[in-house]
Amino acid sequence: MTAAPPHLRSRTRAVLLLALVAALTGALLLPRATRAEAAPTAFAHPGVTVSRAQLDFTRDKVLAGAQPWKGAYDQMMASGYASLSRTPKPRATVECGSYSNPNYGCTDERQDAIAAYTDALAWYITRDPRYAQKAIEIMDAWSAVIRGHTNSNAPLQTGWAGSSWPKAAEIIKYTYTGSWPNAGRFATMLRDVYLPVVIKGSNSNGNWELSMMEAAVSISVFLEDKASYDTAMAKFRTRTAAYVYLESDGALPKTVPSQNLNTRDKIVSYWQGQSTFVTGLTQETCRDFTHTGYGISAISHIAETSRIQGQDLYGTDVGERLRQALGFQSKYELGAAVPTWLCGGAVDRGLGPVTEVGYNALHNRLGIAMTNTQALTQQNRPAGTNALFVAWETLTHGDNPA
């Protein structure tokens, strides 16, 4: 073939360059809703799971003695997590095996992180500086010591603790009027010890990666790390679609490409042997409702953080999957008879205190009828903590319009 003359080659290159610039410019100008994984231009603070407006609503209700918030507050304050005499128990290396066996610092880390968040909430509601100082004491103790996590459950443990620490830190850093001299060291801990682990994701059961992405998104907000936020949110969208089935997905559930679930048999095995797929079923429904609750909770937490940061995922497939998962699991958690095609005719209940955030967003804000989820949510109030990464959500999100 004869080569084009030099002037034509130059013109072709120019045309291609202009086309590329136009395409890139067009992508940058797309409405933000079409780029659902993009980090916000400026992060909102406090902005991990609970916003300042939500905190103000909660505080006003508690101080007015209104229910269910006052009861939820009393429950929180009566717990050991709110104790001003609590002594943190940091470790340089937290070792967690399957089902926390061995358990070298696993429970201590998770509960200290929840305690820091509890104290941050107590500070905001009471304005008693002792609670802010206790939260800082706990966060400082761990940031001075911890260097990593090890053994088989290390990724999940990192995700669980890494979901609670940023919630505490956001409230303290952005609302406490006193000083936090070691705030930078705490940020370094999140950046060096937690984020590199959770941002990688996991090919284990879906609740692992969802919890890890919750931690990654939350840490990214605190660090104002847009690149990590984008990475975590993209993995979250893929995993959520692969965790909750919708009829519109087709004959088989969606999958995470890296898992190579490329046959029906592999998918059925991964879905705990369940071969009939119906809307609202999750990848772990037939394992047990407790682990399913972990996944549902993480989905709701990330969606709530995203909403605070300016991207409302509740109106996307994320919200639809969350709504259907809540409704499906709530129906059977409430005691409905289990058909023979579902999990062999028996489910292992124990969903946990995980419905408030999603129910508030979808029912109260968007006006969607959620009969079973509503019944379960109201039955379980005040929702406490699962001692892992969920805490006090009747207090912070129960019927909260902010």
Side-chain angles (χ1 to χ4, degrees):
M1 174 179 282
T2 304
H7 70 283
L8 290 180
R9 293 201 299 271
S10 298
R11 182 179 300 171
T12 300
R13 284 196 297 270
V15 170
L16 289 173
L17 180 60
L18 287 172
L20 177 62
V21 170
L24 290 172
T25 302
L28 291 173
L29 293 176
L30 282 173
R32 195 166 166 190
T34 68
R35 295 184 291 120
E37 290 84 20
T41 303
F43 287 98
H45 302 289
V48 174
T49 310
V50 61
S51 67
R52 185 183 294 270
Q54 289 171 312
L55 290 168
D56 286 340
F57 174 87
T58 296
R59 182 171 190 263
D60 290 345
K61 291 297 185 182
V62 170
L63 295 182
Q67 299 297 353
W69 306 277
K70 180 60 165 60
Y73 169 78
D74 290 342
Q75 174 197 45
M76 180 183 81
M77 296 304 287
S79 74
Y81 296 103
S83 172
L84 289 172
S85 62
R86 184 183 189 88
T87 301
K89 300 176 181 178
R91 295 177 66 99
T93 301
V94 175
E95 182 176 357
C96 306
S98 297
Y99 295 94
S100 290
N101 182 23
N103 182 342
Y104 299 131
C106 315
T107 300
D108 292 337
E109 181 189 27
R110 295 192 304 262
Q111 295 196 357
D112 277 349
I114 291 174
Y117 176 53
T118 302
D119 289 324
L121 289 174
W123 142 255
Y124 198 89
I125 292 169
T126 66
R127 294 298 196 269
D128 183 337
R130 293 179 301 165
Y131 289 104
Q133 291 158 12
K134 176 57 71 170
I136 290 171
E137 176 191 335
I138 295 170
M139 291 188 286
D140 282 355
W142 279 90
S143 69
V145 172
I146 190 168
R147 296 295 179 266
H149 301 80
T150 189
N151 215 317
S152 58
N153 262 29
L156 182 59
Q157 172 74 17
T158 309
W160 281 342
S163 295
S164 295
W165 289 129
K167 289 192 289 189
E170 281 280 301
I171 295 173
I172 296 301
K173 181 175 181 179
Y174 292 100
T175 73
Y176 178 48
T177 51
S179 64
W180 183 11
N182 292 315
R185 188 178 74 196
F186 184 82
T188 298
M189 176 191 80
L190 294 181
R191 182 180 296 108
D192 294 348
V193 177
Y194 292 85
L195 187 58
V197 175
V198 295
I199 199 73
K200 293 177 183 178
S202 168
N203 285 325
S204 184
N205 281 300
N207 82 85
W208 277 50
E209 184 160 272
L210 288 167
S211 292
M212 292 167 73
M213 289 311 105
E214 178 184 346
V217 167
S218 302
I219 290 169
S220 296
V221 170
F222 183 73
L223 298 178
E224 298 196 324
D225 183 338
K226 294 183 179 182
S228 294
Y229 185 97
D230 289 351
T231 297
M233 195 63 74
K235 288 186 178 180
F236 163 70
R237 295 295 298 271
T238 299
R239 175 61 70 172
T240 299
Y243 194 71
V244 182
Y245 176 80
L246 297 178
E247 186 178 352
S248 58
D249 293 337
L252 294 172
K254 293 180 179 293
T255 62
V256 175
S258 60
Q259 293 188 272
N260 297 313
L261 299 174
N262 50 15
T263 69
R264 178 181 176 83
D265 286 346
K266 288 182 181 180
I267 292 172
V268 168
S269 176
Y270 187 60
W271 282 62
Q272 319 298 324
Q274 177 69 15
S275 58
T276 300
F277 302 103
V278 296
T279 292
L281 183 79
T282 80
Q283 181 254 314
E284 295 185 275
T285 297
C286 293
R287 179 188 185 186
D288 59 61
F289 278 21
T290 301
H291 286 88
T292 297
Y294 300 163
I296 290 173
S297 181
I299 292 170
S300 69
H301 291 168
I302 296 172
E304 192 72 356
T305 295
S306 179
R307 184 189 69 87
I308 295 167
Q309 297 305 326
Q311 297 176 319
D312 197 336
L313 297 179
Y314 291 115
T316 71
D317 76 295
V318 170
E320 180 63 9
R321 292 180 196 277
L322 176 60
R323 177 175 80 91
Q324 297 292 352
L326 282 168
F328 188 87
Q329 267 63 220
S330 292
K331 174 182 176 180
Y332 295 108
E333 183 74 11
L334 288 165
V338 181
T340 56
W341 58 261
L342 176 62
C343 309
V347 295
D348 187 355
R349 295 177 175 87
L351 193 61
V354 303
T355 64
E356 287 279 14
V357 175
Y359 170 72
N360 184 57
L362 295 164
H363 176 75
N364 293 332
R365 290 201 199 104
L366 298 184
I368 300 171
M370 300 175 71
T371 305
N372 290 317
T373 306
Q374 179 174 7
L376 182 62
T377 300
Q378 294 175 348
Q379 174 181 297
N380 288 343
R381 284 179 172 171
T385 175
N386 68 357
L388 299 173
F389 70 106
V390 180
W392 323 126
E393 293 181 351
T394 298
L395 178 65
T396 56
H397 291 82
D399 301 334
N400 191 326

